[in-house]
Amino acid sequence: MSIEIVGYGLAQAEQAVTNTELSNTVETSDAWIQERTGIKQRYFSIHKNTSDLASEAAMMAIQDAKIDPKTIDLILVATITPDGMMPSVASLVQAKCGLNEQNCLSYDINAACTGFIVAMQNAQAMLEAGFVQNALVIGAETLSKILDFNDRTTSVLFGDGAGAIIMRRSSTKKMLHYTRSEGDLQGVLTSDGLALNPEMQINQYSSHFLRMQGQAVFRFAVKAIEDVITKVLQQTNLHVDQIDWIVPHQANRRIIEYVANKMNIDLAKFYLNLDQYGNTSSASIPIALSEMKTKGLLKEGMRVICVGFGAGLTWGGSYFES
Ligand code: UT7
């Protein structure tokens, strides 16, 4: 069975913060951040929580798809920064967007920066099984909630935002996914803070701040992207020259340059917007897709590979035809 994406949306958080502005609060510089990552600015949310950004992106995707919102019967939100432990952000989106059909199911997915790929894979499985007709798939984050602004090795890298798509069955357009995880390496990228019972608190320091061993994640990331592109090309029986766009998780420009060089792929085939958004984890791929749609870069029938990688460790990719 085939699957198509019929609508795209995004939401920017309210406040654009430049590298130079950040350097007033943490010991860093615009030159260091740009040279080591390619990031120029990021958006931070002031008053909006993850479900607010997710709902904005969802409404834009629904409008773009020109479908009756009542026909949406699955809402998936990929996030690592939910509004709370429960209910899910997806349930909050359902309420905020007025999608309260009795036959609609909503739930969240946590696969960190691979979350949107995993959510698309879940949605495809539900669509193909015939359980649902129209899936609203969102990646949304307010990472500023878990950044330690005394830690220059992480606070300069991340931003807030949301992106959304509408997926449904198609008669012609192919979609497939490849997803993996490696739990033994979970310690290199973490955010531990949950309420612990007193017994546990004695043994374990718990902080919600995001911590990352940057170089270890960099080494993992370049291997993960190569693995994903190779496997997805094998599954589709296509050569990379037949792919129009590669849309990677937007973590670091140097990671993408390294992979492009190693795999001998033209850097121009990779869509990059991390200079404007920084790393928005689960939101980075759908924000990029929505931007591409708005700019007219996703033309009918184009072949696209999306690549995610991040905490877990998790990695994976999606192939689709626009
Ligand atoms: O979304 C999940 C996936 N995440 C990623 O893919 C991130 C992967 N990792 C990276 O992108 C890079 O490793 C970083 C951007 C996090 C770091 O870049 P790096 O080139 O690996 O830098 P480094 O960690 O080797 O640090 C080099 C130096 C250090 O100083 P010394 O020890 O050489 O004196 C750091 O303390 O740069 C220093 N440094 C900074 N200096 C100014 C680290 N952060 C900063 C900063 N400003 N913000």
Side-chain angles (χ1 to χ4, degrees):
M1 195 174 291
S2 310
I3 301 287
E4 63 183 340
I5 300 174
V6 292
Y8 298 82
L10 68 78
Q12 282 175 353
E14 307 100 291
Q15 190 174 41
V17 178
T18 65
N19 295 341
T20 305
E21 283 167 326
L22 263 190
S23 71
N24 295 328
T25 54
V26 66
E27 193 187 338
T28 189
S29 66
D30 179 45
W32 191 95
I33 301 171
Q34 284 211 46
E35 191 184 314
R36 299 291 181 120
T37 71
I39 297 167
K40 294 179 179 163
Q41 65 157 46
R42 74 287 296 139
Y43 293 92
F44 286 144
S45 186
I46 311 301
H47 302 295
K48 294 176 183 174
N49 213 328
T50 299
S51 66
D52 300 310
L53 295 172
S55 300
E56 274 179 40
M59 291 308 290
M60 182 174 162
I62 291 167
Q63 274 179 8
D64 186 44
K66 298 182 184 67
I67 56 164
D68 178 355
K70 289 194 174 61
T71 62
I72 291 170
D73 45 8
L74 177 66
I75 305 171
L76 298 182
V77 177
T79 187
I80 52 169
T81 49
D83 297 29
M85 293 287 291
M86 62 178 181
S88 67
V89 175
S91 294
L92 297 172
V93 168
Q94 183 177 6
K96 287 180 181 181
C97 295
L99 305 174
N100 289 306
E101 279 300 291
Q102 279 181 349
N103 63 351
C104 182
L105 169 67
S106 52
Y107 58 92
D108 289 358
I109 287 175
N110 176 345
C113 307
T114 316
F116 189 74
I117 303 290
V118 177
M120 283 176 75
Q121 187 179 40
N122 268 249
Q124 175 165 11
M126 294 287 274
L127 287 161
E128 286 186 349
F131 296 146
V132 298
Q133 305 295 318
N134 283 309
L136 168 59
V137 184
I138 304 169
E141 304 286 4
T142 44
L143 290 157
S144 55
K145 293 189 298 202
I146 61 167
L147 292 181
D148 176 358
F149 286 97
N150 293 312
D151 177 8
R152 67 178 182 175
T153 68
T154 53
S155 61
V156 305
L157 304 174
F158 296 91
D160 302 336
I165 60 171
I166 308 283
M167 288 168 57
R168 70 178 178 207
R169 287 188 289 275
S170 147
S171 50
T172 52
K173 291 182 178 173
K174 193 168 169 177
M175 177 180 282
L176 59 82
H177 309 276
Y178 163 78
T179 48
R180 291 291 182 274
S181 59
E182 173 53 79
D184 285 351
L185 300 174
Q186 47 77 27
V188 300
L189 184 44
T190 59
S191 163
D192 291 331
L194 284 180
L196 297 176
N197 70 37
E199 190 91 3
M200 287 173 167
Q201 267 162 357
I202 292 165
N203 299 325
Q204 188 184 339
Y205 169 71
S206 170
S207 161
H208 65 283
F209 285 140
L210 184 155
R211 302 289 179 208
M212 179 168 70
Q213 294 172 29
Q215 289 189 4
V217 178
F218 193 108
R219 286 193 295 274
F220 150 72
V222 294
K223 275 198 294 187
I225 299 171
E226 185 172 359
D227 181 48
V228 169
I229 295 173
T230 306
K231 296 291 183 348
V232 171
L233 287 174
Q234 280 169 6
Q235 287 181 34
T236 52
N237 243 335
L238 292 170
H239 187 270
V240 72
D241 292 346
Q242 297 169 284
I243 302 296
D244 296 289
W245 286 107
I246 299 173
V247 184
H249 167 49
Q250 310 281 317
N252 187 327
R253 187 180 171 87
R254 282 192 299 136
I255 291 175
I256 307 306
E257 286 171 350
Y258 182 95
V259 172
N261 190 39
K262 179 147 190 272
M263 298 188 77
N264 201 18
I265 303 173
D266 184 357
L267 187 61
K269 207 183 271 283
F270 291 83
Y271 184 79
L272 292 177
N273 64 3
L274 62 88
D275 58 326
Q276 294 303 304
Y277 288 90
N279 179 342
T280 57
S281 191
S282 308
S284 75
I285 291 170
I287 287 174
L289 292 175
S290 178
E291 235 185 40
M292 293 168 75
K293 175 75 192 313
T294 302
K295 289 178 179 170
L297 297 175
L298 278 185
K299 298 197 172 64
E300 182 67 24
M302 277 186 162
R303 297 180 177 124
V304 182
I305 295 177
C306 301
V307 187
F309 52 90
L313 294 171
T314 55
W315 67 105
S318 304
Y319 168 84
F320 72 90
E321 293 161 359
S322 64

